[in-house]
Amino acid sequence: ARGRQSACMRDILVHSTRYDPWSHATEFAARLAAMLQGALTGLWCIEPEVEPAIAGELGGMTALALAGPSPALDEALACQARFRSWTSSLGVASADWLACEGMPAEALRHVGQWHDLIVLGAGSDTPWGSESSLAHVLMSTRRPCLIVPEARVQWPRLDRIAVAWDASPSALRALHASLPLLVRANRIIVLSGAKAA
């Protein structure tokens, strides 16, 4: 039983940027969770209006504190039943939906701690947009991440997996965390490089 457990990613987190229809990354994560027999959590983030607070303008900060949750947040929270029903139709045994008002990178860092894998979309409609911003998100979460290009519709197959290896402790941790995916690959390509000084 222990060996079978190590070959499963029990908890997958996906950052959702759309829910009508669902984003490609969200559907990819749902199909992956079904394939790995894992649980899936969808995370929706609404970035707060914080300009007055950053500027230190007292009236703006007071208005921000009194404004309460955004109507868009209530709408996103109401998607929980729809998300569970949709993921169940794809074969996901257990799913949850979280919606918050906050910066996506911070929310992912916080919520990601309780997950084995984070799935993120990459494209112009994602909050990070550029590769450097995406790299910052990846480093701040400190969890294994899969990046799914929103422009390419392809479902999880795991035929070929490339592994970056420099013999560092972080590379070893990443390799260990990815074992549930690696055992399903037909071909594994090791990209070996010198350890950074």
Side-chain angles (χ1 to χ4, degrees):
R2 190 176 177 131
R4 209 165 5 141
Q5 258 188 349
S6 67
C8 290
M9 285 189 159
R10 292 179 294 280
D11 296 299
I12 298 172
L13 174 68
V14 60
H15 176 260
S16 296
T17 55
R18 257 191 352 253
Y19 53 79
D20 191 16
W22 303 105
S23 68
H24 176 55
T26 305
E27 187 162 355
F28 183 98
R31 291 178 184 272
L32 183 64
M35 186 176 75
L36 298 177
Q37 299 177 339
L40 179 66
T41 301
L43 175 65
W44 173 269
C45 299
I46 298 170
E47 294 188 30
E49 299 287 336
V50 294
E51 290 84 353
I54 290 174
E57 193 256 317
L58 185 59
M61 291 193 318
T62 304
L64 184 64
L66 295 175
S70 160
L73 181 60
D74 291 334
E75 184 181 331
L77 284 167
C79 285
Q80 185 176 60
R82 186 160 43 133
F83 181 73
R84 286 179 172 168
S85 174
W86 173 71
T87 54
S88 177
S89 74
L90 293 176
V92 180
S94 175
D96 203 1
W97 175 258
L98 303 174
C100 69
E101 196 168 24
M103 302 304 289
E106 287 300 309
L108 285 164
R109 185 178 61 80
H110 179 72
V111 180
Q113 297 177 69
W114 290 275
H115 294 81
D116 302 315
L117 176 71
I118 299 173
V119 177
L120 302 172
S124 58
D125 63 340
T126 58
W128 23 89
S130 70
E131 288 183 9
S132 60
S133 297
L134 178 58
H136 172 71
V137 173
L138 295 177
M139 297 305 293
S140 66
T141 60
R142 296 190 171 273
R143 303 300 301 156
C145 296
L146 272 180
I147 309 304
V148 179
E150 289 291 345
R152 187 174 180 189
V153 178
Q154 185 176 357
W155 307 128
R157 286 172 48 195
L158 307 178
D159 291 336
R160 290 187 305 268
I161 297 179
V163 175
W165 178 255
D166 64 0
S168 66
S170 59
L172 182 59
R173 284 193 299 271
L175 189 66
H176 185 266
S178 65
L179 282 176
L181 302 178
L182 294 174
V183 297
R184 289 168 168 80
N186 294 325
R187 184 179 177 199
I188 298 171
I189 303 163
V190 179
L191 307 173
S192 182
K195 184 179 175 183

